[in-house]
Amino acid sequence: VASIINQGYANQMGQANFEQGQANQNRQFMGDLVGTGATALATFSDFRIKENITYHGEKNGHKLYDFTYKGGDTRFRGVMAQEVKDYMPEAVTVMNNGFYGVYYDKLGLEMEVVA
């Protein structure tokens, strides 16, 4: 029982750390925009932080998937960073929290919210 409780706590902490990482990344990005005029932002696209993943099809030669981020309800359509890294590594970066992000502008795509 104790290990189940500990695992639940670890899962909650992991989600909290992920959400904090997203908030920090957004704050850093806004600072970069003000400081340099940059327009590109890497979007979290690591399959390790996604669930309910289903293949959707291809666009511009890239495989697209519908998914939710772990702990979230909003459904998105986009790529998996690990796949993109294999054939276009310049479009993938490691975010501050250690997860992969994708520069969708380099793919000629946008991540979409699925209705």
Side-chain angles (χ1 to χ4, degrees):
V1 173
S3 67
I4 293 171
I5 292 170
N6 286 338
Q7 184 60 49
Y9 177 75
N11 290 344
Q12 289 174 349
M13 289 303 296
Q15 180 65 29
N17 288 338
F18 169 71
E19 290 170 1
Q20 183 61 47
Q22 283 184 310
N24 290 343
Q25 183 70 26
N26 289 341
R27 281 192 293 277
Q28 178 181 351
F29 171 66
M30 292 308 291
D32 290 347
L33 280 179
V34 171
T36 66
T39 58
L41 171 66
T43 303
F44 287 105
S45 293
D46 195 309
F47 76 83
R48 297 174 293 174
I49 59 173
K50 297 175 180 179
E51 59 188 0
N52 305 312
I53 301 168
T54 57
Y55 178 73
H56 176 76
E58 290 191 17
K59 185 174 182 180
N60 297 344
H62 307 288
K63 291 181 181 178
L64 297 177
Y65 299 88
D66 292 350
F67 59 89
T68 57
Y69 286 104
K70 290 182 178 179
D73 295 324
T74 304
R75 197 129 176 93
F76 295 94
R77 180 169 298 144
V79 297
M80 296 292 156
Q82 284 82 348
E83 288 184 353
V84 175
K85 185 173 165 273
D86 288 341
Y87 63 87
M88 191 182 265
E90 66 275 13
V92 179
T93 187
V94 177
M95 308 294 265
N96 290 338
N97 61 3
F99 292 109
Y100 289 114
V102 169
Y103 293 103
Y104 275 82
D105 61 320
K106 292 184 179 185
L107 304 178
L109 298 173
E110 291 182 13
M111 190 167 74
E112 306 172 42
V113 173
V114 179

